[in-house]
Amino acid sequence: MERSLSILQLIALFLLPYLFSHNLANTTTDLKTDESSLLAFKSHITNDSSHTTLGKNWTTKTSVCNWVGVTCGSRHHRVIALDISYMSLEGTIPPHIGNLSFLVSLNITGNHLHGDLPEEIAHLHRLRVVDFSNNSFAGELPRTWFANMTGGLEELYLNDNSFHGTIPQEIVHLSNLRILDMGYNKLSGQIPASTLSQCSQLQALWLSDNNFSGTLPKEIGNMTQLQEFYARNNSITGTIPQEIGHLSNLRILDMGKNKLSGQILASTLSQCSQLQALWLSYNNFSGTLPKEIGNLTQLQKFYAGYNSIAGTIPQEIGHLSNLRILSMRSNKLSGQIPASTLSQCSQLQELWLSDNSFSGTLSKEIGNITQLRIFHAKVNNITGSIPREIGKLHNLQLLYLWGNNLSGSIPPEIGKLFNLEKLMLSGNKLSGWLNTLLIITVISLFDLILNLLGN
Ligand SMILES: *[C@@H]1O[C@H](CO)[C@@H](O)[C@H](O)[C@H]1NC(C)=O
Ligand SMILES: *[C@@H]1O[C@H](CO)[C@@H](O)[C@H](O)[C@H]1NC(C)=O
Ligand SMILES: *[C@@H]1O[C@H](CO)[C@@H](O)[C@H](O)[C@H]1NC(C)=O
Ligand SMILES: *[C@@H]1O[C@H](CO)[C@@H](O)[C@H](O)[C@H]1NC(C)=O
Ligand SMILES: *[C@@H]1O[C@H](CO)[C@@H](O)[C@H](O)[C@H]1NC(C)=O
Ligand SMILES: *[C@@H]1O[C@H](CO)[C@@H](O)[C@H](O)[C@H]1NC(C)=O
Ligand SMILES: *[C@@H]1O[C@H](CO)[C@@H](O)[C@H](O)[C@H]1NC(C)=O
Ligand SMILES: *[C@@H]1O[C@H](CO)[C@@H](O)[C@H](O)[C@H]1NC(C)=O
Ligand SMILES: *[C@@H]1O[C@H](CO)[C@@H](O)[C@H](O)[C@H]1NC(C)=O
Ligand SMILES: *[C@@H]1O[C@H](CO)[C@@H](O)[C@H](O)[C@H]1NC(C)=O
Ligand SMILES: *[C@@H]1O[C@H](CO)[C@@H](O)[C@H](O)[C@H]1NC(C)=O
Ligand SMILES: *[C@@H]1O[C@H](CO)[C@@H](O)[C@H](O)[C@H]1NC(C)=O
């Protein structure tokens, strides 16, 4: 008896006031907090050039829920989303932002805000999406904000600012992060793959257009949820680590414009069985293209131009039945263009093979690459005549074969390619250009350079 009484007393003394204050909360007062937070925000805007945006709209004459860019929740009647993107606002974000305690989504992209990102943001434990991209934020990444983060932030966009320094260890507190975009900043140091892999939910990671250097750490292989990884235009050296093969969900890998070297490890990459797009152009890759490239069966786009890859295109490339774009321009590839093999890639639309050392003739199987829209093979050493089967490529829009050793007459079939917009055949030993020119001009080519007389 005594025991149950004391439990009742406990409920009376502690639980009821607690329930009262939380369930029957004075929403007017709480919405007032949201209002004063947003008014504080407004007072930190130093230039609201259009004046039609916050200046005239965010006033106490109407409920904060009617303000432009503000969304209130239907249940609690509190501010749950703030979207003031692309309003040309200048100024800073005050700490009062941390009082918008029901905020789920915060989007201020496309303004000119600067200064510190207040660590009070960490108090917003309902916050899921933060988009601070395309502003004028600078300095180091907000270490203390990350460190104090209690909520379950899922998407964080800090791209297109001027953040410098390294990615801080404290980022591991954002343990629910699915999307992290830090592209277009001035971040440096090695990519902290070991740290980032502790954000175990990460699916998309953008680090392109920064100043990252060093090698790509093997711990990248621990980011098992990763589907998209962009690290384009940095100064990353060394090889792509074997551990990348552990990323069985990887769909997009962009390592273009770095200083990577060695052979392209196709057998490693082929373990990423979902890989659809692979950018390796503008690096220092050398050696040959391994035949295991044919094991990347999901591959749709393969860019490996502007490297020093030598040898021939392996036959196994014909296994890539989903391949739509193949770019190997500006390498040291040689041998005949394997038209018959490439025609097995039944989806192939773009073939960029210019500025290599391809030789031999252009075989008539080129006409079997039926989806081809772009055939760019300028500046090679292709001999023989242009096969008339080229006329089977009804989708062809661009045909660049200038700077080769082609001879014979231009097949009149070219004149029947009604989608052709750009044709360059100069710098060969072709004849019969006048007839072709007449046919072609009738179908109004936009961009035509035949200038064969100069041969
Ligand atoms: C809620 O707070 C406001 C402002 O302090 C006050 O005017 C109002 O009377 C309060 N309402 C209730 C039901 O307590
Ligand atoms: C305010 O912004 C507008 C547009 O961005 C700009 O033209 C104007 O010079 C700015 N005014 C001040 C005082 O900075
Ligand atoms: C503020 O903007 C919202 C959304 O554009 C509009 O519905 C509202 O009428 C505006 N309020 C005032 C006072 O201008
Ligand atoms: C909101 O936050 C600021 C700074 O974090 C604080 O000084 C202020 O008292 C808070 N305002 C309200 C209305 O709670
Ligand atoms: C923020 O707003 C812009 C413009 O409305 C939109 O394109 C962008 O997707 C939004 N960001 C997020 C994370 O939803
Ligand atoms: C950034 O925002 C400006 C407007 O402030 C817009 O003109 C520009 O296109 C945006 N840039 C990107 C990369 O979104
Ligand atoms: C963040 O955490 C540190 C200690 O971990 C504490 O001193 C600081 O007051 C916290 N900041 C906020 C805004 O909660
Ligand atoms: C990039 O980092 C290097 C050191 O790794 C530094 O010397 C250089 O100034 C940085 N460049 C930029 C644009 O920040
Ligand atoms: C991360 O990767 C390294 C090297 O691949 C491995 O030795 C380590 O056990 C991994 N750590 C975790 C936590 O999975
Ligand atoms: C990869 O390709 C090679 C050569 O084309 C082949 O022998 C091997 O069986 C393939 N491996 C897998 C796992 O498909
Ligand atoms: C490929 O082209 C050649 C010559 O144009 C033709 O004889 C052959 O049947 C074609 N093969 C396929 C599989 O379409
Ligand atoms: C092109 O090939 C011919 C033989 O087919 C050869 O004599 C010539 O040296 C080659 N030119 C270049 C630039 O490789």
Side-chain angles (χ1 to χ4, degrees):
M1 274 300 270
E2 260 185 36
R3 205 162 160 253
S4 54
L5 250 178
S6 66
I7 288 172
L8 276 176
Q9 280 171 335
L10 263 175
I11 291 172
L13 281 171
F14 300 105
L15 213 48
L16 285 182
Y18 176 83
L19 285 174
F20 182 79
S21 68
H22 280 75
N23 285 356
L24 309 173
N26 187 333
T27 55
T28 315
T29 313
D30 291 340
L31 197 58
K32 279 277 170 219
T33 308
D34 288 350
E35 184 191 80
S36 66
S37 308
L38 291 175
L39 287 175
F41 195 112
K42 181 180 151 181
S43 73
H44 282 73
I45 300 298
T46 54
N47 186 358
D48 177 11
S49 54
S50 52
H51 283 295
T52 52
T53 52
L54 307 191
K56 283 184 181 153
N57 193 285
W58 285 20
T59 69
T60 51
K61 282 180 221 146
T62 67
S63 161
V64 61
C65 296
N66 297 329
W67 291 2
V68 63
V70 175
T71 306
C72 289
S74 50
R75 207 150 65 89
H76 299 283
H77 212 59
R78 294 288 304 273
V79 174
I80 57 164
L82 181 61
D83 179 355
I84 49 168
S85 55
Y86 295 105
M87 289 187 176
S88 304
L89 304 172
E90 284 172 27
T92 56
I93 303 180
H96 305 72
I97 195 93
N99 295 346
L100 294 169
S101 47
F102 278 68
L103 202 64
V104 176
S105 166
L106 174 58
N107 191 345
I108 62 164
T109 189
N111 288 293
H112 309 288
L113 299 172
H114 64 275
D116 294 331
L117 298 181
E119 61 188 74
E120 282 75 6
I121 293 172
H123 299 162
L124 302 175
H125 65 273
R126 289 180 171 84
L127 202 56
R128 294 292 174 269
V129 178
V130 171
D131 191 344
F132 284 168
S133 63
N134 197 0
N135 274 283
S136 306
F137 296 112
E140 304 224 326
L141 290 166
R143 213 174 265 277
T144 48
W145 166 27
F146 295 162
N148 290 24
M149 196 71 196
T150 54
L153 198 63
E154 292 171 6
E155 300 180 23
L156 177 59
Y157 300 86
L158 299 174
N159 50 295
D160 294 271
N161 282 289
S162 299
F163 290 112
H164 64 75
T166 57
I167 298 180
Q169 171 71 33
E170 285 82 354
I171 196 115
V172 302
H173 291 264
L174 308 184
S175 55
N176 287 337
L177 215 52
R178 284 188 300 104
I179 300 175
L180 177 61
D181 192 345
M182 294 184 159
Y184 283 98
N185 279 290
K186 294 171 181 167
L187 298 171
S188 56
Q190 195 179 32
I191 289 179
S194 166
T195 297
L196 288 167
S197 71
Q198 292 173 57
C199 302
S200 59
Q201 306 301 309
L202 212 53
Q203 293 174 4
L205 177 59
W206 275 273
L207 300 175
S208 295
D209 300 280
N210 277 289
N211 196 16
F212 289 110
S213 56
T215 58
L216 190 60
K218 62 182 187 309
E219 285 80 7
I220 191 81
N222 294 354
M223 302 178 71
T224 48
Q225 298 303 309
L226 208 58
Q227 296 177 11
E228 301 177 23
F229 180 47
Y230 303 85
R232 186 180 192 76
N233 203 11
N234 283 288
S235 300
I236 301 166
T237 54
T239 57
I240 295 179
Q242 283 193 0
E243 285 76 6
I244 208 150
H246 301 165
L247 303 182
S248 57
N249 295 302
L250 197 65
R251 288 188 294 106
I252 299 173
L253 177 62
D254 187 352
M255 297 296 302
K257 284 200 176 182
N258 276 290
K259 295 173 179 166
L260 295 168
S261 56
Q263 196 180 31
I264 290 178
L265 298 176
S267 67
T268 292
L269 289 166
S270 72
Q271 292 167 38
C272 308
S273 57
Q274 304 299 313
L275 204 59
Q276 292 174 5
L278 179 57
W279 274 271
L280 299 174
S281 32
Y282 296 99
N283 277 287
N284 301 326
F285 287 110
S286 57
T288 59
L289 191 60
K291 61 182 189 310
E292 286 81 5
I293 194 75
N295 294 2
L296 282 96
T297 48
Q298 298 303 309
L299 207 59
Q300 296 175 9
K301 301 177 182 179
F302 180 43
Y303 294 88
Y306 302 94
N307 283 291
S308 300
I309 302 165
T312 57
I313 295 182
Q315 279 189 5
E316 286 75 7
I317 210 147
H319 300 167
L320 302 181
S321 56
N322 294 300
L323 196 65
R324 288 193 285 111
I325 301 173
L326 174 63
S327 175
M328 298 293 303
R329 58 198 300 190
S330 280
N331 275 291
K332 294 175 176 168
L333 293 167
S334 57
Q336 199 181 21
I337 290 180
S340 162
T341 293
L342 290 168
S343 73
Q344 294 167 37
C345 307
S346 57
Q347 306 296 315
L348 197 62
Q349 294 177 9
E350 298 183 23
L351 185 53
W352 304 82
L353 299 176
S354 63
D355 301 280
N356 277 286
S357 300
F358 288 110
S359 58
T361 59
L362 195 57
S363 66
K364 59 184 191 301
E365 282 83 4
I366 194 80
N368 295 3
I369 315 178
T370 48
Q371 301 299 312
L372 207 60
R373 288 190 299 106
I374 291 175
F375 182 38
H376 199 305
K378 74 166 170 78
V379 193
N380 278 291
N381 197 9
I382 306 168
T383 53
S385 57
I386 301 176
R388 46 197 319 136
E389 283 77 7
I390 207 129
K392 286 162 55 181
L393 302 176
H394 299 295
N395 298 310
L396 207 60
Q397 292 170 3
L398 181 149
L399 177 60
Y400 280 4
L401 290 172
W402 60 276
N404 278 289
N405 245 326
L406 293 162
S407 55
S409 60
I410 297 173
E413 283 79 3
I414 286 185
K416 295 177 191 146
L417 295 173
F418 291 104
N419 289 306
L420 203 60
E421 290 169 6
K422 291 174 188 286
L423 176 67
M424 280 177 88
L425 300 175
S426 57
N428 283 294
K429 294 167 189 152
L430 295 162
S431 57
W433 57 273
L434 192 56
N435 278 343
T436 315
L437 187 63
L438 286 175
I439 302 166
I440 284 165
T441 41
V442 170
I443 63 163
S444 77
L445 227 59
F446 294 128
D447 184 351
L448 170 75
I449 306 182
L450 279 164
N451 56 322
L452 302 155
L453 289 172
N455 280 322

